């Protein structure tokens, strides 16, 4: 049985941990509000852009839309973008996504992986550490810290690099894995194809938006060709915003659960402390009574 001093030290340690997890929960909640506002503002913008593209491309033949980012090629070299967090303490947030990407590698892209023609671009240090430790080909480690400054201008440089790699034939397909933010308690691992893009990349749009007419300058073909790379960059940026909001939601829930577990452990430790103290007192009383009885007999 642990001594009273050991139990007191454990109680102090758990109280200290509980204070830390409670503070981290509050910090995550504050960051979540900002991240949630950003992604909720981005979603309608991205959807409207895709709606415009769908509306315009519906009135054009495939031959009229000329863009190197629509070109379908035999899939020989593949780049998978895995978006995780820089820090842990967010439950299974990173592990679930890394496993989803690993599963896609060995099911969907096993041939490219065996041929050494599959690369990983990890945004977030946890994903980089996960795949680097397991011997996968991880390229451009300088992009792991993209979340240190998550704004469109900063992300744009990576988006333009992705477009350049595809246009130059460095990669024949580029997919992105990220956690979609649904609510504070739910993050959904997603896999999306960034390149090659499709002229019909729009999500479900309302009939009013689909029937909208536009005055086009200089031409529908030129606008569609110009819109496609912009939408790909927006899609990439939106995935990072989704992951950022999902990370803070996951960390908030993990710290809430850790605080709750610390409270339960404190109750058990205090109960153990009181029982141990009672046993010590009872033992001392028995020793005193036994000693007194021995003296009387003597």
């Amino acid at each position: 049985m642990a001594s009273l001093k050991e139990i007191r030290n454990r109680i102090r340690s758990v109280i200290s941990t509980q204070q830390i997890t409670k503070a981290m929960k509050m910090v995550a909640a504050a960051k979540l509000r900002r991240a949630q506002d950003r992604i909720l503002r981005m979603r309608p913008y991205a959807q409207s852009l895709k709606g415009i593209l769908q509306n315009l491309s519906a009135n054009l033949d495939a031959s009229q839309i000329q863009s190197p980012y629509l070109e379908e090629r035999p899939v020989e070299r593949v780049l998978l973008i895995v978006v995780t967090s820089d820090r842990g303490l967010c439950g299974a947030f990173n592990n679930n996504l890394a496993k989803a990407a690993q599963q896609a590698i060995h099911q969907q892209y096993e041939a490219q992986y065996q041929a050494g023609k599959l690369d990983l671009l990890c945004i977030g240090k946890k994903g980089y550490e996960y795949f680097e430790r397991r011997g996968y080909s991880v390229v451009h480690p300088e992009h792991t810290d993209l979340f240190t400054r998550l704004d469109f201008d900063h992300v744009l440089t990576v988006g333009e690099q992705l477009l350049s790699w595809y246009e130059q034939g460095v990669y024949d397909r580029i997919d992105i894995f990220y956690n979609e933010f649904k609510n504070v308690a739910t993050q959904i691992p997603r896999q999306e194809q960034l390149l090659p893009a499709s002229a019909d990349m729009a999500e479900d749009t309302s009939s009013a938006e689909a029937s909208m007419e536009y005055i086009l300058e200089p031409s529908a073909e030129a606008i569609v060709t110009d819109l496609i790379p912009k939408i790909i960059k927006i899609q990439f940026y939106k995935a990072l915003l989704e992951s950022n909001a999902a990370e803070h939601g996951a960390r908030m829930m993990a710290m809430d659960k850790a605080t709750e577990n610390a409270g339960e452990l404190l109750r058990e430790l205090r109960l153990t402390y009181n029982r141990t103290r009672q046993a010590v007192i009872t033992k001392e009383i028995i020793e005193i009574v036994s000693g007194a009885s021995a003296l009387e007999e003597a």
Side-chain angles (χ1 to χ4, degrees):
M1 182 180 293
S3 67
L4 289 174
K5 183 179 179 181
E6 289 174 344
I7 298 174
R8 281 197 300 268
N9 288 339
R10 288 192 64 191
I11 289 173
R12 281 196 293 267
S13 176
V14 173
I15 290 174
S16 176
T17 301
Q18 188 182 45
Q19 290 172 343
I20 293 170
T21 56
K22 193 180 295 184
M24 290 183 69
K25 175 191 170 182
M26 294 172 65
V27 171
K31 290 182 177 180
L32 173 62
R33 282 193 292 271
R34 293 194 296 269
Q36 189 174 356
D37 287 342
R38 293 176 73 182
I39 189 58
L40 291 179
R41 288 197 301 266
M42 171 57 72
R43 284 173 179 170
Y45 175 71
Q47 186 174 354
S48 295
L49 270 183
K50 289 182 176 183
I52 293 170
L53 179 64
Q54 184 187 47
N55 186 286
L56 295 178
S57 60
N59 299 317
L60 297 173
D61 295 329
S63 59
Q64 293 179 280
I65 306 174
Q66 300 297 325
S67 173
Y69 311 116
L70 298 176
E71 180 188 350
E72 295 274 355
R73 301 193 291 258
V75 182
E76 295 183 3
R77 292 201 63 89
V78 176
L79 177 68
L80 302 183
I81 306 168
V82 183
V83 185
T84 58
S85 67
D86 286 332
R87 297 182 295 119
L89 299 176
C90 48
F93 176 83
N94 294 312
N95 202 38
N96 286 345
L97 188 76
K99 285 183 177 178
Q102 197 172 16
Q103 185 178 12
I105 290 171
H106 296 293
Q107 291 182 0
Q108 191 175 350
Y109 298 116
E110 179 65 20
Q112 289 83 358
Y113 174 70
Q114 293 296 339
K117 296 182 177 180
L118 184 142
D119 293 331
L120 291 165
L121 175 62
C122 295
I123 298 173
K125 294 177 182 176
K126 289 298 177 181
Y128 177 82
E129 292 168 359
Y130 181 93
F131 288 103
E132 181 76 8
R133 204 163 46 236
R134 288 162 175 77
Y136 290 89
S137 173
V138 183
V139 297
H140 296 280
E142 68 273 11
H143 295 320
T144 56
D145 60 349
L146 206 57
F147 283 115
T148 56
R149 205 183 95 204
L150 187 57
D151 57 66
F152 186 69
D153 291 336
H154 190 209
V155 172
L156 186 63
T157 57
V158 182
E160 289 175 343
Q161 195 170 30
L162 297 175
L163 294 172
S164 174
W165 286 338
Y166 188 79
E167 189 175 3
Q168 294 171 12
V170 178
Y171 296 105
D172 303 306
R173 176 157 175 163
I174 300 177
D175 286 4
I176 185 167
F177 292 82
Y178 67 96
N179 280 293
E180 180 185 3
F181 175 76
K182 186 174 182 182
N183 54 49
V184 176
T186 308
Q187 302 84 37
I188 305 171
R190 296 290 189 194
Q191 176 185 1
E192 289 183 3
Q193 178 179 320
L194 277 181
L195 291 160
S198 168
D200 185 19
M201 349 183 196
E203 300 169 357
D204 293 335
T205 53
S206 65
S207 57
E209 187 177 8
S211 61
M212 196 177 296
E213 294 185 1
Y214 300 95
I215 298 173
L216 306 174
E217 291 289 345
S219 67
E221 295 90 336
I223 293 172
V224 169
T225 302
D226 190 52
L227 268 181
I228 289 170
K230 284 184 171 62
I231 291 176
I232 294 169
K233 294 173 192 174
I234 290 294
Q235 187 181 357
F236 177 61
Y237 182 52
K238 176 175 170 286
L240 297 188
L241 291 182
E242 292 273 7
S243 182
N244 187 46
E247 175 195 346
H248 294 311
R251 181 168 290 111
M252 180 181 166
M253 292 302 296
M255 292 301 98
D256 181 60
K257 189 65 178 175
T259 303
E260 183 182 325
N261 290 341
E264 292 178 3
L265 184 57
L266 272 177
R267 284 191 291 273
E268 293 176 5
L269 284 172
R270 283 168 178 156
L271 183 60
T272 302
Y273 177 82
N274 290 333
R275 285 175 176 170
T276 304
R277 184 167 174 268
Q278 187 178 25
V280 169
I281 293 171
T282 303
K283 182 181 177 183
E284 289 175 353
I285 291 172
I286 292 172
E287 289 175 352
I288 292 170
V289 170
S290 299
S293 299
L295 289 174
E296 288 177 2
E297 292 174 1

